[in-house]
Amino acid sequence: LGCPLIPDVVLCFYHFCKLVFFLSCRYVSKTAAQPVSEFEYDAPSMKTPVPGPKSKLSPPPHSLFISQNVGAVNFFCNYEESRGNYLVDADGNRMLDLYTQISSVPIGYNHPALMKAITNPNNLTAFVNRPALGILPPENFPEKLIESLLSVAPAGMTRVQTMACGSCSNENAFKAMFIWYKIKERGASGPSAEEMSSCMINQGPGCPDLSILSFMGGFHGRTMGCLATTHSKVIHKLDIPSFDWPIAPFPKLQYPLEQFVRENAQEEARCLEEVEDLIVKWRQKGKPVAGIIVEPIQAEGGDNHASHDFFIKLRNIARKHGCAFHVDEVQTGGGTTGKFWAHEHWGTGDPADIVSFSKKMLTGGYYFKDELQPDKGYRIFNTWMGDPSKNVFLSEVLNVIRRENLLEEVTRSGKALLQGLYELQAQYPHLLSRARGLGTFCAIDARDDVTRDNLILKTRDKGVLLGGCGEMSIRFRPSLVFKEYHAHQFLNIFNDVLAEYK
Ligand SMILES: Cc1ncc(COP(=O)(O)O)c(C=O)c1O
């Protein structure tokens, strides 16, 4: 090697040792080819810790706004400068966004297809006028729904009801299930005079003691009805009156899955047995279960998965006991698991009676089977019942998903992300465990909640935004334009954070 004082063999050995040392204590993710995109940045770029001085919350005028919600704001954003997978904050920090506004950005920030849609003169009236859709829908609204929402309807669902947000969708889906249940029970006869008078004073039989069965760890929203089925965090529920509705245990799977096949199957069987017991108990109590609600992956509750077999059996239990089966795809829907709906992974042609959505779908709402159509107008109703301008954007999002094969991209980048997480948990077993995921809908557990929160903050200061869920999980919720390249960018940065973590 040209140095007269050190023999080549010693130098070679030295370099070999350096390499072994390097490989044994640092994870270095492969870099994938950077995708060609005119509208995106190529990397994070940090100028200050986050929140930076411009995001600091104390002086006015920010403090005036913040007085609404002092505990929750992370930092202020510059949406004009944000592009694709990168969110820019008020201080000019550019971060790779793996949290995407609580999982609600379908194709990244300022996507050219959406920018174009807003300048198309044919779309202007949809943005300027917000109709009361329940009574005065635009004449082309049915065709627009066929083009957008109904083109991705889940198997067996012929109808869709739009709404504003996730909670509003679930809340109205519950009402649809109760109405369906009572119509089924009454048969041909209409409601009695007693039912009509008692409902006006919140009493039975007009306000019947029906219930919805939900799962421990589930999250279905924060309005009063939804909250009775939400069991993920105390802060959502404390001080709010609720219903006496049954709550079943959700399977707690042990990882790695291939090592715990028997234990996990037993755990799922235990939970299903409990579901049936609860349905029987609540019927005996005079509060029959009209519907069962479940997320295909419990998201806010900690990214808790169950097998496809579990969900198919649960669906069968609902059918057997005459309960409607409501699959809440507010967080899992829209392509993030590599299929358009997470329930498609179950591989059944009759997955549900109701599927609710929001977030990446840009509009809220729910699909439902014909028999859940209420018998009269105004039974499921509110002023706006959605927003046609969101439907314009959704059509464009669906075009981009199809044109750019984004579901395949999600499967590919999700594999790279999950593989990287497996490698990191093998390298840092004292910090990380239980890497899991479907598509890019991935998560990993930290050793405790404090470590989880610290890892998220340290990673943010290095230019990647992450979210937490459950007690100690980190969740990954990139948009559908997240590529392998971005997965490796994140993995390298996360590795640096882990390597420095005491
Ligand atoms: C599965 C699920 N259902 C319902 C909701 C409630 O949606 P929103 O916050 O839009 O009311 C959420 C929100 O995170 C969710 O993840």
PDB file of all heavy atoms in Angstrom, residues 102-113:
ATOM      1  N   ILE A 102     -51.477  12.908  11.249  1.00  0.00           N
ATOM      2  CA  ILE A 102     -52.185  11.760  11.842  1.00  0.00           C
ATOM      3  C   ILE A 102     -52.743  10.857  10.736  1.00  0.00           C
ATOM      4  O   ILE A 102     -53.927  10.502  10.704  1.00  0.00           O
ATOM      5  CB  ILE A 102     -53.287  12.182  12.841  1.00  0.00           C
ATOM      6  CG1 ILE A 102     -52.879  13.438  13.615  1.00  0.00           C
ATOM      7  CG2 ILE A 102     -53.628  11.032  13.781  1.00  0.00           C
ATOM      8  CD1 ILE A 102     -53.898  13.945  14.628  1.00  0.00           C
ATOM      9  N   SER A 103     -51.827  10.523   9.811  1.00  0.00           N
ATOM     10  CA  SER A 103     -52.134   9.514   8.787  1.00  0.00           C
ATOM     11  C   SER A 103     -53.209   9.954   7.781  1.00  0.00           C
ATOM     12  O   SER A 103     -53.960   9.118   7.289  1.00  0.00           O
ATOM     13  CB  SER A 103     -52.577   8.220   9.493  1.00  0.00           C
ATOM     14  OG  SER A 103     -52.529   7.148   8.617  1.00  0.00           O
ATOM     15  N   SER A 104     -53.262  11.253   7.483  1.00  0.00           N
ATOM     16  CA  SER A 104     -54.384  11.698   6.657  1.00  0.00           C
ATOM     17  C   SER A 104     -53.973  12.363   5.341  1.00  0.00           C
ATOM     18  O   SER A 104     -54.810  12.984   4.699  1.00  0.00           O
ATOM     19  CB  SER A 104     -55.260  12.657   7.476  1.00  0.00           C
ATOM     20  OG  SER A 104     -54.579  13.864   7.702  1.00  0.00           O
ATOM     21  N   VAL A 105     -52.684  12.252   4.958  1.00  0.00           N
ATOM     22  CA  VAL A 105     -52.239  12.875   3.700  1.00  0.00           C
ATOM     23  C   VAL A 105     -52.050  11.756   2.667  1.00  0.00           C
ATOM     24  O   VAL A 105     -51.122  10.960   2.797  1.00  0.00           O
ATOM     25  CB  VAL A 105     -50.914  13.637   3.912  1.00  0.00           C
ATOM     26  CG1 VAL A 105     -50.450  14.270   2.607  1.00  0.00           C
ATOM     27  CG2 VAL A 105     -51.054  14.675   5.005  1.00  0.00           C
ATOM     28  N   PRO A 106     -52.898  11.658   1.650  1.00  0.00           N
ATOM     29  CA  PRO A 106     -52.778  10.483   0.780  1.00  0.00           C
ATOM     30  C   PRO A 106     -51.565  10.494  -0.149  1.00  0.00           C
ATOM     31  O   PRO A 106     -50.888   9.480  -0.277  1.00  0.00           O
ATOM     32  CB  PRO A 106     -54.085  10.496  -0.028  1.00  0.00           C
ATOM     33  CG  PRO A 106     -54.590  11.898   0.043  1.00  0.00           C
ATOM     34  CD  PRO A 106     -54.073  12.480   1.328  1.00  0.00           C
ATOM     35  N   ILE A 107     -51.299  11.629  -0.815  1.00  0.00           N
ATOM     36  CA  ILE A 107     -50.219  11.601  -1.820  1.00  0.00           C
ATOM     37  C   ILE A 107     -49.224  12.751  -1.609  1.00  0.00           C
ATOM     38  O   ILE A 107     -48.708  13.335  -2.558  1.00  0.00           O
ATOM     39  CB  ILE A 107     -50.791  11.615  -3.268  1.00  0.00           C
ATOM     40  CG1 ILE A 107     -51.810  12.747  -3.456  1.00  0.00           C
ATOM     41  CG2 ILE A 107     -51.405  10.261  -3.613  1.00  0.00           C
ATOM     42  CD1 ILE A 107     -52.299  12.879  -4.909  1.00  0.00           C
ATOM     43  N   GLY A 108     -48.926  13.039  -0.368  1.00  0.00           N
ATOM     44  CA  GLY A 108     -47.896  14.025  -0.040  1.00  0.00           C
ATOM     45  C   GLY A 108     -48.420  15.451  -0.123  1.00  0.00           C
ATOM     46  O   GLY A 108     -49.571  15.698  -0.492  1.00  0.00           O
ATOM     47  N   TYR A 109     -47.525  16.392   0.240  1.00  0.00           N
ATOM     48  CA  TYR A 109     -47.914  17.809   0.292  1.00  0.00           C
ATOM     49  C   TYR A 109     -47.855  18.437  -1.089  1.00  0.00           C
ATOM     50  O   TYR A 109     -46.919  18.193  -1.864  1.00  0.00           O
ATOM     51  CB  TYR A 109     -46.988  18.578   1.247  1.00  0.00           C
ATOM     52  CG  TYR A 109     -47.150  18.103   2.674  1.00  0.00           C
ATOM     53  CD1 TYR A 109     -46.205  17.244   3.253  1.00  0.00           C
ATOM     54  CD2 TYR A 109     -48.259  18.465   3.422  1.00  0.00           C
ATOM     55  CE1 TYR A 109     -46.365  16.780   4.548  1.00  0.00           C
ATOM     56  CE2 TYR A 109     -48.429  18.005   4.720  1.00  0.00           C
ATOM     57  CZ  TYR A 109     -47.478  17.166   5.279  1.00  0.00           C
ATOM     58  OH  TYR A 109     -47.651  16.701   6.559  1.00  0.00           O
ATOM     59  N   ASN A 110     -48.831  19.273  -1.391  1.00  0.00           N
ATOM     60  CA  ASN A 110     -48.869  20.076  -2.632  1.00  0.00           C
ATOM     61  C   ASN A 110     -48.664  19.234  -3.881  1.00  0.00           C
ATOM     62  O   ASN A 110     -47.906  19.618  -4.790  1.00  0.00           O
ATOM     63  CB  ASN A 110     -47.824  21.199  -2.569  1.00  0.00           C
ATOM     64  CG  ASN A 110     -48.197  22.249  -1.538  1.00  0.00           C
ATOM     65  OD1 ASN A 110     -49.364  22.673  -1.466  1.00  0.00           O
ATOM     66  ND2 ASN A 110     -47.249  22.668  -0.725  1.00  0.00           N
ATOM     67  N   HIS A 111     -49.304  18.105  -3.945  1.00  0.00           N
ATOM     68  CA  HIS A 111     -49.133  17.239  -5.124  1.00  0.00           C
ATOM     69  C   HIS A 111     -49.624  17.981  -6.371  1.00  0.00           C
ATOM     70  O   HIS A 111     -50.712  18.580  -6.361  1.00  0.00           O
ATOM     71  CB  HIS A 111     -49.915  15.940  -4.943  1.00  0.00           C
ATOM     72  CG  HIS A 111     -49.510  14.899  -5.943  1.00  0.00           C
ATOM     73  ND1 HIS A 111     -49.889  14.958  -7.266  1.00  0.00           N
ATOM     74  CD2 HIS A 111     -48.729  13.804  -5.820  1.00  0.00           C
ATOM     75  CE1 HIS A 111     -49.375  13.925  -7.914  1.00  0.00           C
ATOM     76  NE2 HIS A 111     -48.663  13.202  -7.058  1.00  0.00           N
ATOM     77  N   PRO A 112     -48.827  17.947  -7.478  1.00  0.00           N
ATOM     78  CA  PRO A 112     -49.209  18.698  -8.684  1.00  0.00           C
ATOM     79  C   PRO A 112     -50.612  18.341  -9.193  1.00  0.00           C
ATOM     80  O   PRO A 112     -51.318  19.220  -9.700  1.00  0.00           O
ATOM     81  CB  PRO A 112     -48.150  18.301  -9.712  1.00  0.00           C
ATOM     82  CG  PRO A 112     -47.018  17.751  -8.935  1.00  0.00           C
ATOM     83  CD  PRO A 112     -47.539  17.261  -7.620  1.00  0.00           C
ATOM     84  N   ALA A 113     -51.021  17.078  -9.060  1.00  0.00           N
ATOM     85  CA  ALA A 113     -52.357  16.697  -9.564  1.00  0.00           C
ATOM     86  C   ALA A 113     -53.453  17.436  -8.794  1.00  0.00           C
ATOM     87  O   ALA A 113     -54.475  17.827  -9.376  1.00  0.00           O
ATOM     88  CB  ALA A 113     -52.549  15.186  -9.441  1.00  0.00           C
TER      89      ALA A 113
END
